[in-house]
């Protein structure tokens, strides 16, 4: 197993652990939520001390135990979870989170009902039910794991399953180049997971379609030591419940 040999690292996927959590602020006498929570997730694996030298540069961060073993994090992701039942002014809330203002095009203006809503364009085209919108801010895979045939994409799917059981929409803002365009490689990656462009900055996924499930099934069949949807999740949800299945719950593939 060496960083230059992705196949060796992929064999460790069956021992990986994923941690998912959310955090939100409470306000007022009733300790109500703004309806927007910050979420984060990571995947890690523990290796014996004898394998430590061969795993250099394979992790984004690592922790060494007293017995010499190393637990390394090789995948990280984060973003916002919007609860339309509790977020009145979604666009205003997004403005208080750096890097998320571009997602405002997905939501309608406050209408006095106390509930958030999708834009008129999306409201008539999205078929998924549910009241949560998942906004993906960043996804990072350690360099040594890249080129493994979809490890980052499969882990992203697993994280989304645990984060929210039935989102009505999932969106991502891929990084753009100096020309203001999403690079071809980023387009291919997100398109391969069922996302499609909403505008120049935002790509969206309707969880009710089969596009994502079909893509994940293809990844599952190709990757050795793959992470299954019934694997253990250390759900560290904060005030806002993650909505995902419990660690001892039944396996679930679909995002709907």
């Amino acid at each position: 197993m060496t960083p230059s040999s992705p196949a060796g690292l992929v064999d460790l996927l069956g021992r990986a652990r994923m941690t998912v959590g959310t955090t939100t602020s409470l306000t007022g006498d009733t300790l109500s939520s703004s309806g927007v929570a910050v979420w984060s997730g990571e995947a890690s694996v523990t290796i014996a001390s004898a394998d430590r030298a061969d795993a250099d540069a394979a992790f984004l961060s690592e922790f060494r135990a007293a017995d010499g073993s190393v637990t390394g994090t090789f995948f990280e992701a984060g973003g916002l979870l919007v609860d339309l039942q509790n977020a009145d002014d979604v666009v205003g809330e997004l403005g208080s989170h750096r890097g998320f203002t571009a997602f405002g095009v997905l939501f309608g203006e406050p209408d006095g009902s106390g509930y958030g809503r999708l834009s008129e364009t999306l409201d008539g085209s999205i078929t998924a039910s549910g009241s949560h919108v998942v906004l993906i801010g960043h996804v990072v895979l350690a360099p040594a794991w890249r080129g493994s045939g979809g490890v980052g994409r499969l882990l992203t799917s697993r994280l989304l399953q645990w984060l929210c059981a039935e989102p009505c929409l999932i969106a991502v803002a891929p990084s753009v180049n100096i020309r203001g365009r999403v690079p071809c490689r980023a387009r291919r990656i997100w398109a391969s997971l069922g996302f499609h462009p909403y505008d120049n900055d935002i790509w969206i996924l309707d969880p009710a379609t089969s596009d994502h499930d079909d893509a994940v099934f293809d990844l599952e069949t190709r990757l050795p030591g793959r992470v299954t949807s019934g694997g253990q999740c250390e759900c560290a949800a904060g005030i806002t419940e993650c909505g995902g299945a419990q660690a001892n719950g039944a396996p679930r593939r679909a995002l709907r």
Side-chain angles (χ1 to χ4, degrees), residues 136-242:
I136 303 174
H138 70 276
V139 177
V140 182
L141 184 68
W145 293 77
R146 298 171 189 173
S148 301
V151 170
R153 285 175 287 168
L154 183 57
L155 289 171
T156 298
S157 173
R158 294 292 178 253
L159 184 150
L160 291 173
Q161 289 176 339
W162 289 110
L163 178 64
C164 188
E166 295 183 350
C168 64
L169 180 70
I170 302 174
V172 63
S175 299
V176 298
N177 56 27
I178 57 176
R179 296 181 180 179
R181 299 177 180 176
V182 178
C184 292
R185 185 171 183 275
R187 287 177 178 269
R188 289 195 299 270
I189 290 174
W190 291 109
S192 70
L193 284 175
F195 286 80
H196 63 273
Y198 177 73
D199 63 11
N200 189 50
D201 300 316
I202 305 297
W203 285 48
I204 62 174
L205 170 67
D206 182 347
T209 66
S210 62
D211 296 344
H212 182 78
D213 288 345
D214 292 343
V216 172
F217 179 75
D218 180 60
L219 291 172
E220 289 175 335
T221 57
R222 289 191 290 111
L223 281 173
R226 57 190 179 273
V227 182
T228 62
S229 58
Q232 184 173 4
C233 172
E234 295 180 347
C235 185
I239 299 300
T240 301
E241 295 180 358
C242 71

